[in-house]
Amino acid sequence: FPRVTHQRIDVDVRRTKRALRGRTTLTCAGADGAFAGARVRAEGLKIASCAINGVECRATKTKTSKPTIGTKTAPSDALSLAKDVRTYLESESNLDGEEHSREVVIAPVSGEKIEARARGAANGESTSATTEKEIVIEIEYETDESAMGIAADESYFLCPGASRRPACWFPCVERGDVLTTFDFSVSAPRDLQVITSAHWDRVERCDDIDEDEDGFRLRHHFTGMYPTFAHEMRLICGRFKAVSSPIKGVTLFAPKDGDYAERLEIAAAGVSKAIVAYEEYLGHPYPISCLNIVFMPDEYVGARDSLGACMNIHSAKWLIDPTLNTALLDARVHIATAIARQWFGGVVVPADTTDCWVVEGLAQYLAGAYVKKLTGLNELSFRRMRDMRLTAQMDDGESLPPLASRAARIWRAGQYAGPDLAAGGTPKPLSASVERGLQAKAVTIIYMLEKRLGPDVMQKVLKYFAGLHVRRNKKEGGTRAGPSAEVLSSNARWIHTLQLFDHCRATVNLGKGEVNSFLERWVYGAGTPKLCVGYVVKRRKNVMEFAVKLEGSVAAAAADRAALAVARNHRTSVTVRMREENRPDANDHVVSLGHSAWQLMEIPLQPKIKDRRPKTIIESGGDPELIAAMDCPVRYVRVDPEFEWMGNIEQSAKQVGLESMMAQMLEKEKDIVAQTIAVEFLGRRVANGSVSAVLVLDKCLNSEDTFCRVRAEAALALGKSASEKTQWGGLNALIRHYKKFQCDANTGKPKQNDFRDLAKVIVDEAVITALGYVMDNGITHQDALEAIVTRLKYNDNEGNPQSDDGFVATCIAALGRCVPADGKQLQTVMQTIHYYIRRDDRFPSDDLCVTCAGIRALGLLASTIDSKELRADAEHVAKLGFALGRQSTVLASADTMMYLRFVETKSEIEALKYMLERSAQESAATKAAMLWSACEYLQSVAGADSLKGVSKPILADLRDLVLKGGSEIASAAFSILATLASQDESLSEIRESIAEAIRRAGDQVPVGVDVHAAHAAPTAEDEVKRAEKEAKRARKRERERLRQAARAEVDLKNAEQRRIDAEAAFVEQQAEHVQDDKTTVSERTATMMGSEGDATPQGGTPVGGLKRARDQNPSVTQFAVEPAAPVATEDAAPAKKLKLSFKIKKPTT
């Protein structure tokens, strides 16, 4: 493939024909010598004519080995299906080194070879001053009938389409190791606005010959802002409303037929604040001077954002009504994160597929700067803790692949990168849950680096990588980035995993072994550890006995062994932070870890005067927990406070004494993470029947000084752990809070809504959600159900400046989790849900969120309650959701019908069959979302017997979706097929064939022991090499020892000489101090010096002054010799006084 440096694309959009016709010019870097032709990629395109350097050429497609399967062709057996899928995977992964059925060979018609010409010769420029050569390829083309690269209807025209491949809408060279500048010229009907991945320059009227059935046409010209990849190109034509952001060059687009004017203004303000926050944090101007943020209906975008060069494509659901304060916060953070991904991911790109996690982690870490500026440090800490929790929960060694593997495709929704053979082609997206888990792990790794480096050093690291590509201009150093002259097309834009860690190591002088062990354990390895801890205070010994054991999956143990193999000083200890009663601050202790046995350590405590008053038992009432709390000198203990292990820390909820410590930590500690950990532990204590834990959580829930997220966690803990063991203390606490903050004190009914305080709304929604979790023997407690129904029945939003759509949807979702005790309660719940669905028809909520919540709630109720009337009602409401036509309502209805099919047939396979049939009627984006929903549902019921015995028609449908469905649909269908094969022994051929194809493609690094297998036994040759290396190290150590001894000897001699010189200088200084003349008054003796004839006074100084007294003193004359008087001259300078300044260095031994 040629190395393309510049490509111009001139296209004509044929909206009514759903077709594209164009001409592209590829300028490639030339080399010496002649060549027979060039290869480009074009799928579903008809090449009309082509030429190289002006020489007429012929375009020939390569051989086709991709399986061609007829639609609905049932496989003869499982083996034939497995072969089809395996062939497809091998073709997609380009195992044979060439792309089948997508490559086009362009060669001269005459068969002669072509020479590269001087750069600029085609434009008539002078070529005498340049030695650079170039190859210019010109291609005229149009799309064929399939048009996989186009998604078009009466409203919009988008490229790329379902295939997500650039070669499906313009001929190109799909390479991940070459950056190319793209320019556009688009001819489209005048009523359509054109948006591309470039900067708009001008518009002009097309010739009359270009007019067609679409009517009057305009040609828009665009200039590429910076070199990028072909898969980053986007083209959108439609009717939009545009709003410019306060930041120059940033424009937001929304559908013109919707009421999005005010929402666009709000979003534009948030975008400008995010960019300013990034510029302040990194100290660099935002590198993209032209950024188009396009909001489109869900059926064109789907659940994933489509990010390209200079363009972010979001679903219109992220244009939130400003009256929805809770949803507005999430939307702003979501859009800001996408903007950060344009910096790390668009400008700074991964060097290989195994480096995709680096740009994703840095982008999310950068987005944290905006979160901190928008909401404060507490919200940022809570979001970080949520990411760490999700990582520790999902990374069990099997669910998530290692970060540095080809399977961790979290860049640009499953795109490969760098020199990877599949780079630049069709992306292979991961499921939403796996992608979210990998994203959380990527940013968690960056958090762990921040703990080791410090926030300031981590900021310097991001500044370094964010500015590598910027060419500094001294005159414009303080301004925003100009056009693409600021961005280089050099290797400075690629970032490696090792490059990141090497720079971190050099910045803070980390050890090489520490960095290598960190990489092996957390980046190259899989699985998070589990720390089982326990501790007790021994008053007689005045120590705290701490016990810890390291456990985890097989993959986690293998990663630990790999980390130990590369560094002897691998961190095998955990930090324990302990706060004693009489200490002003906490102190840290290091406890060693072990894999096979408990590790014990005694931590000494501060001595304390013993309280001999015998009233402990009387004051506590005999409660062991209170006895331990009153006699414990330790306030609380935190295990791994700096998150060095990123694992699950398990502490027994039955151990006496821990509850009081957690209560102290919740009350005294100001760290949000520590408070959340304490709330989680106290919730488990409530489940075990602790009444005192209920009181602590109740106090936390009602404390307005506590962060709102912690209060919400306390409410959820009370709801999930409420039981009869605590005399329904958790339920009573929730009811008291509900009546105090949401009900009128006089009437007892819910008062008018006031959602201006975001923190209060978060807590109130958490209380309602927690009430839905209160169960009494599998039935929702009557008081909890009555509170939720009453809250919805008397909901009054009159006079509230904020919308109640989000709050009502939360209440309805809580009703969906309830299990009514009898038919009367069920009828009340159904009437309440139907009332709000009808209200949503008259006064539509934002994105019909209330209707979606009602549909899902009825589906959940029908799946847990055996009632034909309820199932018929849920099915009727689901049909209403399909009729509404929105993607949100369609997905809610599809999930509801999937649950109903399972309840009726008791078979997950039948539920899957319904999803396959229904998804065939929807658009590509909605179809992919439905298939991913079915995949996650099947994975949640893995191990069920009903997953066995898949029929051949279902397998054929999945096979056809894998082969012909496009990028997102094929990935979802393949995941479903792999899930079914892993559960059914009769599909062993499919399972083995899929595993072999994945292994050969390098698409999945084996997780478990094979990730870091034990090293093989060393051979004799290895032993000889090891001995030579050891001897070389010994000789090097001996030479170093001799050099140190020689340096020590020289230092000793120099120190002795300095001592002698210092003593001599001291004596000389003392001699000059006592030298004086006859008229000197001695301040020490306060004696007046007389003339030489005066007698010596009694007990005084002899006549003649101190000089004569000094001369007569033998102890002075033997050290001080009177110097000769210098000869006085007119130009002689005054004698310089000697100042004593010396420092005796202690000799080294």
Side-chain angles (χ1 to χ4, degrees):
F1 291 102
R3 187 180 185 89
V4 182
T5 59
H6 180 272
Q7 183 171 359
R8 179 172 181 82
I9 306 170
D10 303 321
V11 295
D12 296 337
V13 174
R14 306 296 174 178
R15 178 179 54 179
T16 56
K17 295 182 179 180
R18 195 174 173 267
L20 199 69
R21 185 179 63 189
R23 174 189 177 90
T24 182
T25 304
L26 297 86
T27 304
C28 313
D32 295 334
F35 57 95
R39 292 188 301 169
V40 298
R41 290 181 179 173
E43 180 181 5
L45 301 179
K46 297 178 181 179
I47 307 298
S49 63
C50 55
I52 300 180
N53 287 350
V55 178
E56 184 181 359
C57 298
R58 179 189 299 111
T60 306
K61 291 186 177 181
T62 56
K63 60 179 182 178
T64 302
S65 65
K66 183 178 178 181
T68 55
I69 308 298
T71 307
K72 300 298 181 182
T73 301
S76 58
D77 53 11
L79 182 59
S80 63
L81 173 64
K83 290 180 178 180
D84 293 340
V85 175
R86 177 173 175 176
T87 305
Y88 166 78
L89 289 177
E90 292 176 354
S91 174
E92 287 291 320
S93 302
N94 200 9
L95 291 181
D96 299 331
E98 63 180 32
E99 192 72 13
H100 299 292
S101 73
R102 289 170 180 160
E103 290 184 6
V104 176
V105 177
I106 300 177
V109 177
S110 61
E112 299 179 356
K113 293 188 177 181
I114 304 176
E115 294 282 348
R117 65 189 181 187
R119 183 176 297 275
N123 301 327
E125 302 176 1
S126 177
T127 60
S128 59
T130 180
T131 59
E132 298 180 358
K133 295 184 178 181
E134 66 179 8
I135 303 171
V136 179
I137 305 174
E138 299 174 342
I139 304 174
E140 292 186 1
Y141 68 96
E142 62 180 352
T143 56
D144 60 7
E145 295 77 8
S146 61
M148 291 293 293
I150 300 174
D153 57 11
E154 297 179 356
S155 301
Y156 300 98
F157 189 97
L158 289 81
C159 296
S163 65
R164 300 274 305 279
R165 187 161 195 155
C168 291
W169 66 287
F170 67 93
C172 61
V173 176
E174 298 175 339
R175 293 181 59 173
D177 57 347
V178 176
L179 296 171
T180 306
T181 302
F182 292 87
D183 295 337
F184 285 90
S185 170
V186 182
S187 171
R190 61 177 180 176
D191 61 333
L192 298 183
Q193 189 164 2
V194 181
I195 309 171
T196 65
S197 296
H199 179 266
W200 182 85
D201 287 337
R202 67 187 189 278
V203 62
E204 60 187 16
R205 180 175 177 176
C206 297
D207 299 333
D208 294 338
I209 58 175
D210 290 336
E211 296 184 7
D212 58 1
E213 63 274 8
D214 290 333
F216 184 69
R217 302 177 68 83
L218 297 175
R219 180 165 293 275
H220 304 260
H221 296 270
F222 301 85
T223 302
M225 300 308 300
Y226 56 88
T228 184
F229 309 104
H231 65 79
E232 291 279 280
M233 295 297 102
R234 302 289 187 272
L235 171 62
I236 301 177
C237 300
R239 298 179 180 88
F240 294 99
K241 177 179 178 56
V243 171
S244 298
S245 172
I247 298 295
K248 183 179 179 181
V250 180
T251 309
L252 288 78
F253 299 88
K256 192 174 183 179
D257 53 355
D259 186 14
Y260 295 111
E262 183 182 5
R263 302 187 184 191
L264 275 178
E265 296 289 345
I266 298 297
V271 167
S272 63
K273 292 180 180 179
I275 294 178
V276 170
Y278 297 157
E279 292 179 341
E280 292 177 353
Y281 181 80
L282 295 178
H284 296 294
Y286 193 68
I288 302 175
S289 57
C290 174
L291 178 62
N292 299 318
I293 303 177
V294 185
F295 297 91
M296 300 192 66
D298 292 342
E299 53 267 23
Y300 299 97
V301 182
R304 305 176 197 267
D305 296 333
S306 178
L307 304 183
C310 302
M311 186 184 295
N312 291 350
I313 305 176
H314 300 280
S315 170
K317 67 181 180 182
W318 295 111
L319 282 177
I320 301 297
D321 189 346
T323 59
L324 290 170
N325 46 13
T326 55
L328 184 62
L329 173 61
D330 295 335
R332 283 196 169 187
V333 174
H334 180 86
I335 297 173
T337 304
I339 295 175
R341 289 192 177 110
Q342 284 289 0
W343 199 324
F344 290 101
V347 176
V348 181
V349 296
D352 201 350
T353 308
T354 57
D355 303 316
C356 293
W357 76 272
V358 178
V359 293
E360 178 62 30
L362 293 179
Q364 291 198 54
Y365 184 86
L366 179 60
Y370 173 68
V371 174
K372 181 179 179 180
K373 186 175 181 180
L374 180 65
T375 60
L377 182 60
N378 286 341
E379 179 69 17
L380 177 61
S381 300
F382 182 81
R383 289 176 180 269
R384 288 184 174 183
M385 183 212 62
R386 188 170 57 187
D387 290 335
M388 294 179 182
R389 276 186 170 182
L390 179 62
T391 303
Q393 178 183 359
M394 292 193 62
D395 192 9
D396 56 358
E398 297 179 359
S399 300
L400 298 182
L403 279 180
S405 64
R406 293 185 77 244
R409 304 178 301 274
I410 54 177
W411 177 58
R412 293 298 193 254
Q415 186 61 255
Y416 294 91
D420 197 303
L421 294 175
T426 304
K428 296 181 181 178
L430 303 173
S431 65
S433 59
V434 174
E435 185 179 46
R436 181 67 188 95
L438 288 173
Q439 290 175 350
K441 186 176 181 180
V443 72
T444 300
I445 295 297
I446 305 300
Y447 295 156
M448 296 172 67
L449 275 179
E450 182 199 40
K451 294 294 184 180
R452 286 166 169 79
L453 304 179
D456 296 336
V457 177
M458 196 67 213
Q459 184 179 1
K460 293 180 180 178
V461 171
L462 261 71
K463 285 183 178 180
Y464 173 78
F465 287 104
L468 273 180
H469 61 280
V470 177
R471 182 180 299 167
R472 277 300 177 189
N473 189 343
K474 295 182 180 180
K475 296 182 180 179
E476 299 179 358
T479 62
R480 282 185 43 78
S484 57
E486 294 286 334
V487 184
L488 305 179
S489 58
S490 64
N491 293 336
R493 287 181 54 190
W494 274 276
I495 185 172
H496 303 257
T497 299
L498 294 179
Q499 181 185 6
L500 171 65
F501 281 87
D502 286 344
H503 184 73
C504 293
R505 183 171 64 88
T507 304
V508 295
N509 196 21
L510 289 176
K512 185 176 180 180
E514 182 179 357
V515 171
N516 291 338
S517 62
F518 185 90
L519 284 170
E520 289 288 342
R521 179 60 191 87
W522 304 113
V523 180
Y524 301 145
T528 54
K530 181 176 66 173
L531 298 176
C532 302
V533 299
Y535 41 88
V536 63
V537 176
K538 298 292 185 181
R539 294 295 295 132
R540 184 167 297 181
K541 293 183 178 181
N542 198 36
V543 297
M544 186 185 73
E545 292 184 354
F546 188 89
V548 59
K549 183 180 180 181
L550 178 62
E551 296 179 349
S553 61
V554 179
D560 287 333
R561 290 194 300 270
L564 287 173
V566 298
R568 296 181 179 179
N569 59 345
H570 171 61
R571 187 181 298 272
T572 56
S573 59
V574 64
T575 303
V576 178
R577 180 167 297 171
M578 182 175 61
R579 179 74 178 272
E580 297 185 51
E581 184 176 356
N582 296 326
R583 285 183 178 269
D585 53 355
N587 51 347
D588 293 346
H589 303 272
V590 179
V591 180
S592 300
L593 296 176
H595 289 277
S596 58
W598 289 89
Q599 303 296 316
L600 302 177
M601 180 179 178
E602 291 186 352
I603 302 176
L605 304 177
Q606 185 179 7
K608 178 183 177 182
I609 301 176
K610 187 176 181 180
D611 188 3
R612 300 182 179 277
R613 295 175 295 176
K615 56 181 182 179
T616 302
I617 305 298
I618 299 176
E619 290 181 356
S620 64
D623 189 350
E625 186 66 39
L626 295 179
I627 295 174
M630 297 177 64
D631 197 39
C632 181
V634 179
R635 289 187 177 180
Y636 58 82
V637 175
R638 287 188 64 184
V639 182
D640 192 23
E642 302 298 333
F643 293 100
E644 299 172 339
W645 278 93
M646 192 178 64
N648 297 301
I649 301 176
E650 291 191 0
Q651 303 182 58
S652 176
K654 298 181 179 180
Q655 182 177 345
V656 177
L658 295 188
E659 179 183 322
S660 59
M661 292 185 183
M662 290 296 177
Q664 288 272 4
M665 186 166 68
L666 178 59
E667 181 179 359
K668 304 295 183 183
E669 186 67 54
K670 300 304 180 183
D671 185 12
I672 301 302
V673 178
Q675 292 179 347
T676 307
I677 293 174
V679 166
E680 187 272 336
F681 180 85
L682 292 173
R684 291 193 287 127
R685 286 288 301 169
V686 173
N688 288 336
S690 175
V691 179
S692 56
V694 174
L695 300 178
V696 175
L697 291 177
D698 186 17
K699 181 180 178 181
C700 174
L701 176 60
N702 291 275
S703 174
E704 297 185 359
D705 295 333
T706 306
F707 184 52
C708 60
R709 300 289 187 183
V710 179
R711 296 172 62 191
E713 292 290 323
L716 294 175
L718 287 171
K720 293 178 181 179
S721 59
S723 64
E724 197 173 358
K725 296 180 181 178
T726 58
Q727 300 178 358
W728 301 107
L731 173 62
N732 296 331
L734 293 173
I735 294 296
R736 285 196 300 270
H737 184 279
Y738 162 73
K739 291 184 178 180
K740 178 180 179 181
F741 292 95
Q742 300 188 41
C743 296
D744 186 84
N746 298 324
T747 62
K749 297 180 180 180
K751 54 186 177 182
Q752 288 186 345
N753 298 330
D754 186 4
F755 295 155
R756 291 174 292 181
D757 188 357
L758 177 60
K760 182 179 180 300
V761 175
I762 292 175
V763 177
D764 290 346
E765 289 182 352
V767 169
I768 296 297
T769 303
L771 289 172
Y773 286 114
V774 180
M775 294 290 177
D776 183 11
N777 295 326
I779 304 298
T780 302
H781 197 281
Q782 181 177 356
D783 295 342
L785 182 60
E786 182 180 354
I788 300 174
V789 172
T790 304
R791 185 65 181 87
L792 286 172
K793 181 178 180 181
Y794 295 99
N795 177 57
D796 185 5
N797 205 53
E798 185 177 356
N800 183 20
Q802 300 292 323
S803 173
D804 65 341
D805 293 342
F807 187 83
V808 170
T810 301
C811 295
I812 293 177
L815 275 183
R817 287 187 292 269
C818 294
V819 181
D822 50 28
K824 184 178 180 180
Q825 291 184 356
L826 177 60
Q827 192 68 23
T828 302
V829 170
M830 293 172 60
Q831 291 176 357
T832 304
I833 295 176
H834 277 284
Y835 168 77
Y836 278 97
I837 292 178
R838 291 192 300 269
R839 193 197 78 165
D840 210 31
D841 185 28
R842 298 191 301 270
F843 308 101
S845 59
D846 190 66
D847 197 27
L848 296 181
C849 60
V850 174
T851 300
C852 295
I855 295 174
R856 295 184 184 275
L858 290 175
L860 289 176
L861 288 172
S863 63
T864 55
I865 301 175
D866 187 11
S867 172
K868 293 183 179 180
E869 180 183 357
L870 178 59
R871 289 196 295 270
D873 185 71
E875 186 173 356
H876 173 73
V877 174
K879 292 180 180 179
L880 173 63
F882 286 125
L884 291 175
R886 290 197 180 186
Q887 189 188 60
S888 56
T889 58
V890 169
L891 293 179
S893 300
D895 290 344
T896 297
M897 293 301 298
M898 183 172 60
Y899 297 147
L900 294 177
R901 288 294 181 269
F902 171 74
V903 172
E904 294 174 356
T905 62
K906 303 300 181 182
S907 172
E908 288 84 0
I909 300 299
E910 292 297 326
L912 173 62
K913 181 179 179 181
Y914 172 81
M915 291 293 282
L916 292 175
E917 295 175 351
R918 181 66 204 185
S919 62
Q921 307 174 21
E922 305 296 337
S923 63
T926 306
K927 185 176 184 178
M930 294 174 67
L931 292 178
W932 280 122
S933 178
C935 179
E936 293 182 356
Y937 172 70
L938 294 178
Q939 291 175 353
S940 65
V941 295
D945 294 336
S946 57
L947 289 179
K948 301 178 181 179
V950 185
S951 61
K952 289 183 179 181
I954 293 180
L955 294 178
D957 291 341
L958 293 173
R959 188 266 318 277
D960 295 336
L961 291 175
V962 169
L963 299 179
K964 301 181 178 181
S967 173
E968 194 86 29
I969 297 174
S971 297
F974 175 75
S975 299
I976 295 175
L977 190 61
T979 302
L980 295 175
S982 64
Q983 302 294 321
D984 193 349
E985 293 295 334
S986 63
L987 302 179
S988 58
E989 293 88 352
I990 297 179
R991 181 171 62 254
E992 294 173 0
S993 183
I994 290 176
E996 177 64 18
I998 291 176
R999 185 191 64 79
R1000 291 185 57 191
D1003 211 27
Q1004 170 78 43
V1005 177
V1007 178
V1009 180
D1010 294 335
V1011 175
H1012 295 288
H1015 297 286
T1019 61
E1021 185 178 357
D1022 295 336
E1023 291 290 344
V1024 172
K1025 292 182 179 180
R1026 187 189 62 80
E1028 291 177 355
K1029 291 181 180 180
E1030 188 63 31
K1032 185 177 180 179
R1033 295 192 192 100
R1035 291 192 297 269
K1036 184 178 180 180
R1037 288 194 296 267
E1038 182 64 20
R1039 289 195 300 268
E1040 185 65 25
R1041 188 187 65 80
L1042 293 176
R1043 284 196 295 266
Q1044 290 181 358
R1047 285 196 296 267
E1049 185 178 357
V1050 172
D1051 291 342
L1052 184 61
K1053 291 180 180 180
N1054 293 338
E1056 182 64 20
Q1057 185 63 35
R1058 286 194 297 270
R1059 185 184 64 79
I1060 295 174
D1061 296 344
E1063 290 180 355
F1066 178 75
V1067 172
E1068 186 178 355
Q1069 192 271 345
Q1070 291 295 328
E1072 291 182 356
H1073 179 70
V1074 298
Q1075 182 180 358
D1076 202 10
D1077 55 12
K1078 298 178 181 180
T1079 60
T1080 302
V1081 178
S1082 175
E1083 295 179 356
R1084 296 180 181 178
T1085 60
T1087 303
M1088 181 67 70
M1089 303 300 147
S1091 62
E1092 294 183 2
D1094 293 342
T1096 303
Q1098 183 179 2
T1101 305
V1103 177
L1106 289 177
K1107 184 175 183 294
R1108 182 177 302 175
R1110 185 195 63 184
D1111 294 341
Q1112 297 175 358
N1113 189 349
S1115 61
V1116 176
T1117 56
Q1118 60 180 341
F1119 289 102
V1121 180
E1122 184 71 13
V1127 180
T1129 60
E1130 294 181 359
D1131 298 335
K1136 186 177 181 180
K1137 295 183 179 180
L1138 179 64
K1139 294 184 178 180
L1140 184 64
S1141 177
F1142 64 94
K1143 180 178 181 182
I1144 300 178
K1145 183 178 180 181
K1146 184 178 180 181
T1148 59
T1149 58

